[in-house]
Amino acid sequence: MKISLIGMSGSGKSYWSKKLQTKGFKRFCCDDLIEEKLRSELKASGYHGIQDVAKWMGQPFDKQYKGTSKRYLQYENEVMNEVIRLTQHSHSHENIVIDTTGSVIYAGNNILEKLIRFTKVIYLDTPDSVKNTMYQLYLQDPKPVIWGKFFKKGDNEDVDALGTCYPKLLAYRSQKYEKLSSVKLDYHMIHSPKFTVEMFMEVIQ
């Protein structure tokens, strides 16, 4: 089985891809692969590791953001093309899980069409009831986020504008994720301690 996990950062993609890896799935973590491509640039800026990618990119009100977010998407597209090619040419009986980034929806129609063609796309939902919690987690532990047209700020607004714009970004992405996926998994179900990897496999099949 070849599957792709999509959804916002914090939805559980990495958790479940690692769980599937323990059951014999080959795991492609797109965050890690992007960080590898960025490694020399991160080092030149005094950064190191996946956690520092968000610092390197900055927030949408930072001066460097326009350039760094563009380069991030370029590397993400390279990673997605490489991972899809490896998945496409893998043995038919090989189990593969692709742990995508939250910004995979910006990868372009060609990549997304291949993702749908060669994998079963699983959307890990984030309902409205948890979106404020997700925003607070984002502030505490920022991840690289492509804001696109959804960041707008008034005079003397920076962080405050993030709080206003984040729900709009989530709403937009939720629609895109759902349209891209063939299976949608309930947030509370997959975050229950009683929900096992065997149950996960049964649901997506």
Side-chain angles (χ1 to χ4, degrees):
M1 175 178 271
K2 278 79 173 172
I3 65 175
S4 297
L5 302 182
I6 65 171
M8 286 296 295
S9 176
S11 61
K13 300 188 301 293
S14 293
Y15 175 85
W16 284 107
S17 66
K18 289 176 181 177
K19 284 285 188 182
L20 291 167
Q21 188 176 31
T22 67
K23 298 298 180 179
F25 276 73
K26 184 174 184 177
R27 176 176 179 255
F28 292 111
C29 176
C30 294
D31 275 329
D32 290 345
L33 295 171
I34 293 168
E35 187 269 332
E36 285 180 17
K37 289 182 176 291
L38 279 168
R39 192 160 294 166
S40 60
E41 191 167 345
L42 290 172
K43 185 177 180 180
S45 301
Y47 295 132
H48 172 74
I50 189 63
Q51 294 301 321
D52 277 354
V53 174
K55 296 177 184 177
W56 164 83
M57 182 184 287
Q59 295 289 8
F61 47 77
D62 290 326
K63 184 169 61 175
Q64 81 270 23
Y65 181 82
K66 184 176 180 180
T68 52
S69 61
K70 184 177 180 179
R71 290 201 296 283
Y72 179 90
L73 283 176
Q74 174 189 335
Y75 290 130
E76 179 169 21
N77 284 354
E78 290 179 9
V79 163
M80 289 304 301
N81 276 317
E82 291 166 7
V83 168
I84 290 171
R85 179 179 53 80
L86 291 170
T87 301
Q88 177 184 354
H89 296 291
S90 65
H91 193 282
S92 59
H93 297 300
E94 186 175 9
N95 291 324
I96 291 174
V97 57
I98 302 174
D99 177 1
T100 70
T101 75
S103 55
V104 69
I105 54 171
Y106 304 112
N109 290 336
N110 184 49
I111 290 174
L112 296 181
E113 286 169 4
K114 288 180 181 179
L115 197 67
I116 294 169
R117 181 179 176 187
F118 297 115
T119 72
K120 176 178 279 192
V121 182
I122 314 298
Y123 169 33
L124 279 58
D125 186 24
T126 46
D128 290 341
S129 59
V130 302
K131 285 177 179 175
N132 182 60
T133 300
M134 291 183 67
Y135 176 61
Q136 295 305 319
L137 290 173
Y138 167 72
L139 290 180
Q140 295 169 21
D141 184 21
K143 299 294 190 297
V145 172
I146 302 299
W147 288 82
K149 63 182 180 180
F150 287 95
F151 183 78
K152 296 179 181 179
K153 73 184 189 76
D155 295 338
N156 301 316
E157 277 190 323
D158 283 333
V159 175
D160 289 344
L162 293 179
T164 303
C165 299
Y166 197 74
K168 298 175 184 177
L169 176 67
L170 290 185
Y172 168 77
R173 286 194 175 188
S174 294
Q175 291 179 349
K176 292 292 185 180
Y177 294 140
E178 190 156 1
K179 185 176 180 180
L180 183 62
S181 65
S182 58
V183 178
K184 177 181 175 181
L185 297 182
D186 178 77
Y187 177 90
H188 298 290
M189 176 182 72
I190 64 173
H191 283 78
S192 167
K194 296 180 180 180
F195 194 71
T196 65
V197 68
E198 288 77 17
M199 293 176 180
F200 186 98
M201 287 296 300
E202 184 178 350
V203 170
I204 68 172
Q205 287 176 332

